[in-house]
Amino acid sequence: MKVINTIAEMKEARHKLRGSVGFVPTMGYLHEGHLELVRIARAENRNVVVSIFVNPAQFGPKEDYASYPRDTERDLAMLKKERVGIVFMPSAEDMYPPGYSTWVDVEKVTERLEGAVRPGHFRGVATAVNKLFNIVDPTRAYFGQKDAQQLVVIKKMVADLNMNLEVIAVPTVREPDGLAMSSRNVYLNPEERKSALVLYKALTLAQKLWNKGETNAGLIRKEMSSLIQREPRAARIDYVSIADAETLEELARIDRPAVVSLAVKIGKPRLIDNIILGA
Ligand code: PAF
């Protein structure tokens, strides 16, 4: 496994690769969800490149950039075990040198949900991912369904900018009790960890109502919200959304593939999760 720290070296190494390249962009502190992306990338491509880059541009001034969990040694050991060919770990200075001034803004699908609560977040994500795509030049790039809006934004960017790669969505990997895997789960204390299950319970409720034939999105949202409000550690609901899976426009009736997503603060940590209905 080759660990590359500069953009110039990564470009040179890419130039030498023959056959398809599967790319898994990450911010490190890897878990089973990331490894699932790596395994699928490996099964579908001749080469696999994983990037580890905690992208400062996607964190707001009051967010956790400085304290975002990092453990490079552990990450590299995990990727070595998965027989990854190249790990790309650029520095923030190499990605955003002094005078850096070009940003990628994907409109509309970034306005609501995470975009409304975290202004500038998707501009930072789209810019970093666009740069990583330019540097790694992948055949296919792999993203978790866990960050549903991120996936919609990246697919839109790739389509709008005629980028020459395939974006592959990989289903969310969950803990045995249903909690979606996330690097930020490390912030949960044991009590909050138990309460965090309320997100999965609310999504399961939506799935059950839908399975029974309920298509009234307003009613499902209301049932989900009241279930969450009964959880004493659920400090704040940022949103409970049932939206068109492609445009992310809120639906009154579920008459097409819909993403049911929610963001809830459990104690201090803020968690997100989602499921797709009717796909
Ligand atoms: O999902 C993530 O870890 C990040 O948003 C990504 C896609 C690596 C961009 O920094």
Side-chain angles (χ1 to χ4, degrees):
M1 187 174 80
K2 213 173 179 173
V3 180
I4 296 180
N5 294 105
T6 69
I7 294 173
E9 272 177 87
M10 181 63 232
K11 283 187 158 187
E12 202 185 316
R14 170 61 182 103
H15 202 66
K16 291 186 188 142
L17 295 177
R18 293 287 159 259
S20 60
V21 174
F23 177 44
V24 181
T26 81
M27 297 208 300
Y29 212 70
L30 305 177
H31 51 68
E32 266 306 306
H34 296 110
L35 298 186
E36 184 67 8
L37 304 181
V38 170
R39 286 171 197 144
I40 296 174
R42 216 161 67 79
E44 296 182 349
N45 299 277
R46 182 147 168 214
N47 308 279
V48 175
V49 177
V50 176
S51 65
I52 299 178
F53 177 58
V54 184
N55 172 31
Q58 70 187 71
F59 289 79
K62 288 189 187 142
E63 291 184 18
D64 55 347
Y65 174 65
S67 61
Y68 191 82
R70 292 161 169 91
D71 191 342
T72 307
E73 218 171 287
R74 179 171 149 270
D75 289 346
L76 292 177
M78 288 164 95
L79 295 175
K80 197 168 176 188
K81 227 169 152 188
E82 297 297 329
R83 287 174 286 145
V84 166
I86 296 179
V87 182
F88 176 44
M89 297 178 49
S91 66
E93 294 71 32
D94 205 9
M95 288 288 274
Y96 303 109
Y100 185 86
S101 51
T102 303
W103 302 96
V104 180
D105 252 317
V106 181
E107 296 178 351
K108 290 203 174 80
V109 292
T110 55
E111 281 167 11
R112 300 187 49 255
L113 310 172
E114 290 301 292
V117 185
R118 306 180 66 188
H121 170 68
F122 287 118
R123 181 187 195 243
V125 170
T127 302
V129 171
N130 192 338
K131 283 171 70 71
L132 290 168
F133 285 173
N134 288 343
I135 298 160
V136 174
D137 188 17
T139 317
R140 301 180 187 89
Y142 296 80
F143 294 87
Q145 180 61 48
K146 155 88 178 8
D147 293 301
Q149 190 174 13
Q150 169 170 282
L151 198 47
V152 170
V153 171
I154 289 165
K155 279 187 176 165
K156 191 80 181 96
M157 173 183 81
V158 165
D160 285 354
L161 297 181
N162 311 102
M163 292 179 165
N164 222 355
L165 70 131
E166 208 182 327
V167 174
I168 315 273
V170 175
T172 303
V173 177
R174 297 180 179 281
E175 302 282 357
D177 63 0
L179 181 70
M181 294 211 179
S182 163
S183 304
R184 287 190 170 103
N185 287 351
V186 71
Y187 296 148
L188 296 164
N189 70 30
E191 287 308 311
E192 290 164 349
R193 169 65 184 80
K194 279 187 218 152
S195 308
L197 255 201
V198 78
L199 278 86
Y200 183 62
K201 284 184 189 156
L203 293 171
T204 308
L205 174 63
Q207 180 78 61
K208 272 190 197 146
L209 291 168
W210 161 255
N211 290 351
K212 275 194 206 153
E214 185 57 71
T215 58
N216 182 334
L219 185 143
I220 299 178
R221 272 186 223 106
K222 211 166 142 199
E223 292 286 329
M224 291 173 73
S225 298
S226 51
L227 186 148
I228 299 164
Q229 276 152 4
R230 288 200 292 275
E231 167 52 56
R233 278 183 203 84
R236 187 183 80 212
I237 301 177
D238 276 346
Y239 57 81
V240 172
S241 158
I242 303 182
D244 180 297
E246 223 171 277
T247 63
L248 296 183
E249 273 160 25
E250 214 58 33
L251 295 175
R253 193 153 289 285
I254 308 175
D255 53 4
R256 64 199 99 150
V259 53
V260 183
S261 64
L262 71 177
V264 184
K265 219 164 173 283
I266 301 288
K268 259 196 183 160
R270 178 178 178 278
L271 303 178
I272 61 171
D273 200 353
N274 70 88
I275 53 168
I276 306 286
L277 294 181

